[in-house]
Amino acid sequence: MGTLVRGGEIWTAIDRYVADIFIAAGKIQAIGEDLPGSGDDEILDATGLLVFPGGVDAHTHLDMPFMGASSTDDFQTGTIAAAVGGTTTIVDFVIPERSESLLAALGKWHAKAAGKAVIDYAFHMALTRWDEGVAREISRCVYEEGITSFKAFMAYKGSLGVDDYGLFQFMSRISELGALLAVHAENGDVIQALLEQYIAANKTHPRYHAMTRPAQCEGEATERAIGLARLLEWPIYLVHMSCREALASVKRAQKRGQQVFSETCPQYLLLDDSRYDEPDFGGAKYVMSPPLRKAEDNAALWAALRQGAVQVVATDHCPFNFAKEKQLGRDNFAKIPNGCPGIEDRLTLLWTHGVQQGRIDGHTFVKVCSTNPAKILGLYPQKGAIAVGSDGDLVLFDPTASRTITARTQHQRVDYNTFEGFAISGMPSHVLLRGQMIVREGKFTGIPGTGRYLARKPAKVRELAPV
Ligand code: URP
Ligand code: ZN
Ligand code: ZN
């Protein structure tokens, strides 16, 4: 018994055509015109609907302890929200405590996801200290645990952050193993100094979060990280890029032929730093790192998506309730847990405010939401593709549906929505994970625990072929 999706308009990174798709045993078995279905097959009439490969969100933080709180979505609530929004794969971050073994932390993340995830998931491993034990564990992550991407923080001095010595050691080790280092590029030392100055001057309002993390700090750290990767002649992946300064470094490197990948997020495309002035401590909702920038940065990032300089749009979903966790910083912006929700709205925001408004075309939409993250992170062509042999992960998208984003109706387990009031035109109607219907007519129908861990292989990280 299989599933036959009839007559939808298939959109991939390069193609757009009307055809049927037959899925059985979790995989796409055939694509063509007038495919025959047997009496046992579920037939889905997709006439008038667009069919995208399931979304791949390269950057999430579910059930993550951070800054004295814990992100409020766990692997069940967070992946249900993702599914309803058309995402069928996430790559979440394992964050070991500073002295904890990587593999012990990995065990905790597997336990958090098992029995709960409703979509498939892989893990990045965060690296927060360098020593010989960590060096050994990195290779076990790659060769035994299926983790081929790591993250280092140049920000968060005194907690998750590492210095250039650690960063370079990580890069060296990871390049030997054929894996990929993702970098949070902000100058943690300068930010710490600015933060101390602002707090000493009693400047504690959320707006000072942005002022203590200027775009130059992101640009400088991005340039430095790219320079270290250049020394090793190995690719690097810049996460949650927010500003023109960082973008300029990325473009310079790409122009000279260096393999630099970069990611941005809907909040850096659609919101600006005027949000920090929202009344009644409302700016705390947007306290994230890097912070929101200027409208000119939004425009530059859209242009970079069009040009291919930025290849991925992820969410950095890291939700904290406004009425609870965000209040930890009521008297001091530096204590506001950093992060915002977004796992549910990535595809619809990009479709409406990207494709519908002419900022990107539909193929770029598929690339940045699905195909490129799958390629860069070693999940392609199992994920990120509509092709025979790929997983039957499909989004049947109704371009005529519309709604207004609001926390009142969201699935994300948090008391606000970063994009409250944004108009959306086009919504996932049905979502299939390995051929199983997990969203039907916009309603979640999956089963917690059916999401599978995706172990990856190291050799694939350099395979971002132009599409
Ligand atoms: O503010 C953010 N981005 N929170 C999540 C942690 C990180 O740096 O990605
Ligand atoms: Zn980060
Ligand atoms: Zn993050």
Side-chain angles (χ1 to χ4, degrees):
M1 166 172 163
T3 306
L4 182 60
V5 179
R6 267 209 206 283
E9 185 176 291
I10 298 170
W11 283 69
T12 71
I14 45 170
D15 286 319
R16 176 181 173 185
Y17 58 100
V18 174
D20 302 343
I21 303 173
F22 179 63
I23 305 167
K27 302 277 183 196
I28 296 177
Q29 307 289 344
I31 302 173
E33 281 182 19
D34 300 323
L35 295 180
S38 80
D40 287 344
D41 296 330
E42 168 153 29
I43 314 255
L44 275 174
D45 182 4
T47 311
L49 302 179
L50 314 181
V51 183
F52 304 131
V56 177
D57 190 342
H59 189 147
T60 67
H61 301 280
L62 300 178
D63 203 356
M64 178 183 81
F66 190 44
M67 295 183 73
S70 210
S71 61
T72 54
D73 267 315
D74 64 15
F75 274 81
Q76 184 164 322
T77 59
T79 58
I80 288 174
V84 172
T87 290
T88 51
T89 301
I90 57 168
V91 190
D92 199 79
F93 286 87
V94 177
I95 314 266
E97 288 166 25
R98 223 174 152 77
S99 58
E100 190 178 26
S101 116
L102 307 189
L103 296 178
L106 176 60
K108 285 186 193 163
W109 253 259
H110 275 299
K112 287 173 197 267
K116 288 195 164 176
V118 306
I119 59 174
D120 289 350
Y121 56 95
F123 292 132
H124 309 280
M125 177 63 70
L127 300 172
T128 55
R129 69 175 194 285
W130 170 258
D131 58 40
E132 281 310 310
V134 168
R136 276 192 298 278
E137 285 198 305
I138 290 175
S139 65
R140 287 190 60 189
C141 284
V142 173
Y143 289 121
E144 296 169 24
E145 304 294 341
I147 294 181
T148 56
S149 49
F150 297 81
K151 180 177 178 185
F153 298 87
M154 298 169 82
Y156 307 130
K157 184 178 168 64
S159 58
L160 302 175
V162 293
D163 59 15
D164 286 359
Y165 173 81
L167 186 61
F168 190 69
Q169 294 283 30
F170 296 151
M171 282 185 184
S172 309
R173 185 84 188 120
I174 284 164
S175 63
E176 284 161 14
L177 298 170
L180 183 65
L181 187 65
V183 175
H184 176 144
E186 286 185 291
N187 185 319
D189 285 307
V190 174
I191 289 167
Q192 182 61 27
L194 287 172
L195 202 143
E196 287 168 13
Q197 289 169 18
Y198 275 68
I199 298 296
N202 213 18
K203 293 177 170 168
T204 58
H205 187 274
R207 78 171 64 88
Y208 298 116
H209 171 74
M211 294 188 183
T212 54
R213 311 183 86 94
Q216 291 94 322
C217 280
E218 187 181 341
E220 183 279 328
T222 303
E223 182 73 20
R224 193 158 26 107
I226 289 174
L228 298 183
R230 190 182 186 190
L231 267 178
L232 294 164
E233 297 184 0
W234 195 250
I236 185 172
Y237 180 90
L238 280 311
V239 293
H240 49 45
M241 203 167 58
S242 71
C243 63
R244 284 163 288 172
E245 286 79 351
L247 189 53
S249 287
V250 166
K251 284 186 176 173
R252 267 196 303 277
Q254 289 170 343
K255 202 167 171 193
R256 65 176 174 253
Q258 197 177 339
Q259 205 167 20
V260 172
F261 304 126
S262 65
E263 163 198 291
T264 191
C265 311
Q267 55 270 29
Y268 300 122
L269 292 162
L270 295 170
L271 305 177
D272 66 44
D273 62 0
S274 60
R275 297 273 167 165
Y276 293 114
D277 290 324
E278 283 192 5
D280 303 323
F281 193 58
K285 294 175 184 168
Y286 311 97
V287 166
M288 64 190 83
S289 295
L292 300 176
R293 305 295 189 187
K294 304 285 177 204
E296 290 81 358
D297 295 291
N298 303 160
L301 289 167
W302 282 114
L305 290 177
R306 279 194 298 279
Q307 295 153 1
V310 175
Q311 297 88 8
V312 176
V313 177
T315 59
D316 195 8
H317 178 75
C318 189
F320 298 103
N321 287 304
F322 177 65
K324 194 173 172 207
E325 292 84 6
K326 291 281 185 185
Q327 300 298 323
L328 290 168
R330 186 101 211 173
D331 302 321
N332 178 352
F333 70 85
K335 296 191 174 156
I336 300 170
N338 285 201
C340 70
I343 203 167
E344 188 164 350
D345 302 308
R346 183 176 63 118
L347 269 65
T348 48
L349 282 168
L350 262 273
W351 181 261
T352 306
H353 298 275
V355 181
Q356 295 287 304
Q357 295 192 10
R359 290 166 161 148
I360 55 173
D361 65 27
H363 300 297
T364 302
F365 165 83
V366 173
K367 284 186 213 175
V368 301
C369 290
S370 177
T371 308
N372 284 350
K375 286 190 170 188
I376 296 170
L377 296 174
L379 293 164
Y380 186 87
Q382 180 183 358
K383 304 294 185 186
I386 299 180
V388 172
S390 295
D391 280 0
D393 297 353
L394 300 179
V395 180
L396 278 50
F397 194 80
D398 181 355
T400 65
S402 63
R403 74 182 171 103
T404 300
I405 292 181
T406 171
R408 285 191 297 281
T409 55
Q410 72 184 357
H411 297 79
Q412 301 174 136
R413 189 169 65 183
V414 59
D415 64 0
Y416 74 100
N417 189 302
T418 319
F419 305 97
E420 183 76 27
F422 270 70
I424 291 302
S425 52
M427 277 158 53
S429 160
H430 293 61
V431 179
L432 306 183
L433 175 75
R434 287 179 268 104
Q436 300 300 309
M437 185 96 64
I438 59 171
V439 174
R440 188 185 286 272
E441 288 173 4
K443 304 267 182 304
F444 175 68
T445 54
I447 301 169
T450 47
R452 287 188 192 154
Y453 174 62
L454 298 163
R456 295 174 285 149
K457 293 196 178 71
K460 296 199 175 172
V461 295
R462 304 194 74 176
E463 290 176 5
L464 182 75
V467 283

